[in-house]
Each structure stands twice: as structure tokens, then as C-alpha cells.
Amino acid sequence: SSPPPSTPPPLSPPTQPSPPPSDPYALTGLQTYSIVSPPTVGISPLSGGEFQRVMMATLVAQDAQTFLLDEPANHLDPRRQLDFYSMISRQWQQGRSVVCISHDINLLTHLAPPDQANRVRVVGLAEGKIRFDLRLDDPGIGDTLGSLFGIRVETVERDGARFFLALGANRE
């Protein structure tokens, strides 16, 4: 007669930290976004900002040439939003293409230095149709954004950059 089958021990998370990545792109991605070590227990315990940095590091690690970002700074505090858009800007300045979907009109100005705003296209969509396609430095972009969102927008210049102030709903 054969011995009864033994039950294997339950799986447990690794007790040793993951070895450093050997792939130079992975290492660059982790260092670029201040990730000391890759998550070893999954991504669910990460904060929103940590999760966003891991996602950006993943794109860098894959040496992605195009970044498609949907509301990348959503649920981040203002400081983390600015940091995140600075990260996006650095990737764009290094030659990557960036498609960024955002409803935050003020974060647009952080996508490029003021002297390169003419290289950033802002495309407005409504009801599944393109409503406008302008350069970030277009003089009428504030009014056009206001029209798209149904708000009054004042354009303010500060330190060479333009910012858009939402003043309230249109009274049309």
C-alpha cells in the first residue's frame, strides 16, 4: 500500500526582497521615478501616487516610444500632480510621443516649457467629435477651452507660462 498523499505547504510571499532588475531599461525606470525597489506583494497596497510612478516606470522599462495617458494625475494632491506632469514633460522632451487625456486645463501648461508650447497640440473633444485642434501657445486657447467646457476662462501669464482660470459657468 502506498502512503497517503501529503498536502503541500501553503504558498507564502517571498521573504527576501526581489533582486535588482538586470534589464537596464527597468533599472532606469525605477530610478527615474524614485522607486527604491519593485513591489513584491502586488500593487494594491500602493498609494495613488506610488501606483502612478510604477506605471510610468513600467513605460520607461519597456522603452515605450508612445505614452497614452488617461487622466494621469487624477486623485493626486496638487504637488504630486505637478511632479507627475513634470515626469511626462521630461519623457516628451526626450523624444517620446505623449497622448494625454485630461480635464484639468491648468495641467496643460506643465506639459512643456513655455518656449516649446508651440510644439504641444491640444485637441478638444465633445460628443465623440473633434471640436478644435490648437497649439498650446495659440492666443485664443483659453476662450476655446471655456467654450468646450461651458465656462468662462481667463488666461493669465506668469513667469512666461500661461494659466487658465475657470471663473464660472457661461451665462449663455
Side-chain angles (χ1 to χ4, degrees), residues 42-61:
I43 58 173
S44 55
L46 299 177
S47 72
E50 290 168 330
F51 178 78
Q52 295 291 55
R53 288 197 319 269
V54 168
M55 293 297 99
M56 284 293 283
T58 300
L59 291 172
V60 172

Side-chain angles (χ1 to χ4, degrees), residues 68-112:
L68 179 57
L69 308 169
D70 186 6
E71 301 287 354
N74 199 20
H75 303 296
L76 299 179
D77 64 60
R79 171 60 191 254
R80 293 289 185 199
Q81 288 178 346
L82 294 175
D83 290 347
F84 204 78
Y85 270 73
S86 292
M87 289 183 226
I88 295 168
S89 178
R90 282 193 302 276
Q91 295 304 316
W92 175 72
Q93 290 177 51
Q94 291 173 6
R96 290 177 170 89
S97 297
V98 176
V99 177
C100 183
I101 299 154
S102 178
H103 289 89
D104 191 325
I105 59 177
N106 278 310
L107 291 176
L108 290 172
T109 60
H110 297 283
L111 287 173

